[in-house]
């Protein structure tokens, strides 16, 4: 399982080998008015269900998001079938905005969206270019346009994913060069909308402010998907998937310790949902490895190599900080 929200900035996901580009798919020839189209066969040929099932496996929860992705996929498939009967319909706008906290699966969904759009013939490449402000905006005059053009060139034919897109616009700085990038994006999103899908991402309140300051950008976004924070139970399910994918197993005590960790960490600043869980598990792996090496054992079983024990979790600073806060609170005089 690929942990949600872990795609690095300026990352380019390579195209999937062996897929046919749009325009070369068998069965797209025009149909007579009295002909029937086999919907089940078209679904099977597009592999939409396979991509959506993979999304279900990769991401826990997010039912409203997954429902919206399925609706968009269904619309695009039906539009493609309508085209075979020469039924006129405008190509739907596909630019999107994903809002939510870090670690809620926005990048993973963007990856699957790129794959779906390619398989349905709406993009010629199954690729996603993930960037932030630093990849688009320069620090001096004449630097921004070349940087932005280079990113757009790499993304053309696929999906451009701009994380924390609100940082492109800095109203307090009149000499900021981010506005130049925004103007270039607006032009490309309109003129090249058949060859590029732009997905903006970030916190909902900040994206709302960004759109208020840039109404031209807001008018070009057709789909707004909100990614809610995970619940404690969902985060535990994500942790189990991550551990299973890496060949680790929680002992009963470790399961309880991790559940306590998640509850405490959710209440702390800079909590990043699945990303914070992933980081906690990485540190637990470090402690498990050190525990095994320091044990002095000459032989280890497969179970010992796979097992995460309670102490591997409880040694986190999160528990020490919570205990210190409790001591301070208990020592404080009553009102």
């Amino acid at each position: 399982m690929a942990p949600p929200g872990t795609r690095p900035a300026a990352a380019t996901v390579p195209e999937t080998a062996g897929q046919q580009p749009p325009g070369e798919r068998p069965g797209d020839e025009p149909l007579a008015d009295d002909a029937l189209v086999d919907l089940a066969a078209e679904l099977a040929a597009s592999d939409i269900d396979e991509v959506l099932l993979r999304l279900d496996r990769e991401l826990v929860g997010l039912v409203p998001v997954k429902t919206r992705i399925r609706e968009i996929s269904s619309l695009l498939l039906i539009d493609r079938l309508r085209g075979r009967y020469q039924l006129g319909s405008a190509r739907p706008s596909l630019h999107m905005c994903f809002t939510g906290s870090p670690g809620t699966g926005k990048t993973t969904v963007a990856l699957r969206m790129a794959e779906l759009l390619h398989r349905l013939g709406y993009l010629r490449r199954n690729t996603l270019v993930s960037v932030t402000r630093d990849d688009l905006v320069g620090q001096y005059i004449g630097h921004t346009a070349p940087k932005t053009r280079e990113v757009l060139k790499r993304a053309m034919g696929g999906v451009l994913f701009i994380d924390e897109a609100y940082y492109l616009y800095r109203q307090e700085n009149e000499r900021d060069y981010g506005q130049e990038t925004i103007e270039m994006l607006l032009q490309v999103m309109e003129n090249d909308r058949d060859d590029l899908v732009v997905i903006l991402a970030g916190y909902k309140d900040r994206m709302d402010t960004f759109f208020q300051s840039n109404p031209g950008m807001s008018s070009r976004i057709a789909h707004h998907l909100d990614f809610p924070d995970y619940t404690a139970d969902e985060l535990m399910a994500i942790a189990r998937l991550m551990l299973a994918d890496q060949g680790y197993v929680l002992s009963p005590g470790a399961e309880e310790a991790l559940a306590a960790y998640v509850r405490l960490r959710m209440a702390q600043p800079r909590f990043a949902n699945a990303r914070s869980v992933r980081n906690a598990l990485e540190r637990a792996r470090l402690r498990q490895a050190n525990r095994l090496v320091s044990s002095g054992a000459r032989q280890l079983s497969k179970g010992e190599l796979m097992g995460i024990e309670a102490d591997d979790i409880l040694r986190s600073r999160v528990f020490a900080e919570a205990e210190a806060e409790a001591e301070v609170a208990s020592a404080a005089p009553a009102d």
Side-chain angles (χ1 to χ4, degrees), residues 34 39 42 56 64 83 86 119 141 181 192 198 201 211 218 222 225 233 246 251 276 292 299 306 311 318 328 331:
D34 59 350
L39 181 58
E42 293 290 339
D56 272 334
Q86 290 82 51
R119 293 192 181 198
I141 295 176
T181 290
D192 296 293
V198 175
F211 287 135
S218 177
L225 282 73
D233 288 343
Q246 299 179 63
S251 70
S276 291
L292 293 176
Q299 295 180 323
M306 295 176 64
D311 193 53
V318 169
V328 170

Side-chain angles (χ1 to χ4, degrees), residues 104-139:
T104 49
K106 296 185 293 295
T107 307
T108 300
V109 172
L111 284 166
R112 295 296 156 248
M113 181 56 69
E115 187 174 357
L116 284 167
L117 294 177
H118 174 76
R119 293 192 181 198
L120 287 167
Y122 285 83
L123 289 176
R124 57 187 170 87
R125 300 169 60 207
N126 175 19
T127 186
L128 178 138
V129 175
S130 178
V131 298
T132 63
R133 172 191 164 92
D134 290 344
D135 304 299
L136 294 163
V137 181
Q139 297 180 349

